Amino acid sequence: MKQAVFIERDGVLNQVRVERQHQVSPLTLEEFHPEQKAVSEIKRLKAGGLVVIATTNQPGLSRGYQSRRELDRMHALLRRTFDLDDLLVCPHDETDRCPCRKPKPGLLVEAAFTWHLDLDRSFVISDKWQDAEAARAAGCTSLLVQSPWVRTGHRDFVLPDLASIVDKILGLKGATRVMAA
Ligand SMILES: [Zn+2]
């Protein structure tokens, strides 16, 4: 069974605008800016033998303000920039009560099935509590970049930046049992 790193898209792999203390997802290719300083960090994870999978909630698909075609163009750019193994999208609105909208763990569980992953030995990187909660529910270790969206729920590590998180994952990767800090 393989080990994976699940990475939240908005705020980690691409830049986001912040309005009234909320992150605003880009809706067009013109607004979509991959985070260039993350490129070398994702390469280090791949070189460490981890399956790298981006995950994202995009309720705009269900609510009608995000076009599928434009999302596909953004995601083609994301895949070219980061050499991702997979990219999983929850297209639903909260009111759809789907199993995949984070903080629910559906995207992680789906990926585990597709990629033959050991979720107990896999990792989640994000700047938001919803991903830490999905990680907890799926049995993954969560590592959050310090941000206004970390809040106070369960998480395994909060670190200042992506480089520190990648260092931590590569250090933990071989360990048989992950101890929270
Ligand atoms: Zn969903």
Side-chain angles (χ1 to χ4, degrees):
M1 302 250 277
K2 290 176 257 186
Q3 282 174 281
V5 183
F6 296 97
I7 309 178
E8 155 69 347
R9 191 197 81 167
D10 289 326
V12 181
L13 295 179
N14 58 272
Q15 299 167 11
V16 286
R17 282 187 301 120
V18 175
E19 278 180 13
R20 295 191 294 271
Q21 279 145 33
H22 288 280
Q23 291 190 350
V24 181
S25 300
L27 297 177
T28 63
L29 186 63
E30 287 65 37
E31 292 174 0
F32 192 74
H33 303 292
E35 193 65 79
Q36 294 300 328
K37 62 180 188 286
V39 170
S40 58
E41 302 306 331
I42 304 309
K43 282 200 175 119
R44 291 169 66 211
L45 293 170
K46 296 274 291 186
L50 291 148
V51 177
V52 175
I53 300 173
T55 63
T56 185
N57 286 350
Q58 291 303 324
L61 289 166
S62 163
R63 295 173 193 159
Y65 57 76
Q66 169 71 74
S67 96
R68 170 64 74 172
R69 184 172 170 278
E70 206 58 27
L71 188 72
D72 288 346
R73 293 173 70 201
M74 292 189 271
H75 284 178
L77 174 59
L78 202 70
R79 285 173 176 272
R80 281 201 304 280
T81 306
F82 292 109
D83 187 22
L84 302 171
D85 291 298
D86 211 344
L87 196 168
L88 300 174
V89 178
C90 167
H92 304 112
D93 196 350
E94 277 164 295
T95 54
D96 293 331
R97 302 188 172 278
C98 69
C100 50
R101 181 172 158 83
K102 300 180 286 184
K104 290 195 179 145
L107 295 180
L108 282 54
V109 173
E110 178 192 336
F113 183 78
T114 308
W115 287 90
H116 308 287
L117 303 175
D118 184 350
L119 289 176
D120 287 340
R121 292 165 58 240
S122 294
F123 305 92
V124 170
I125 301 176
S126 180
D127 61 349
K128 291 182 272 298
W129 68 270
Q130 287 90 339
D131 293 275
E133 175 54 26
R136 188 198 61 73
C140 302
T141 300
S142 58
L143 302 99
L144 298 181
V145 187
Q146 187 64 60
S147 86
W149 302 282
V150 162
R151 305 244 191 110
T152 54
H154 174 86
R155 66 284 180 107
D156 294 299
F157 301 96
V158 179
L159 293 164
D161 53 34
L162 185 59
S164 327
I165 285 179
V166 171
D167 287 344
K168 176 63 86 178
I169 288 175
L170 295 175
L172 291 170
K173 193 173 77 70
T176 50
R177 182 151 179 271
V178 172
M179 300 293 292

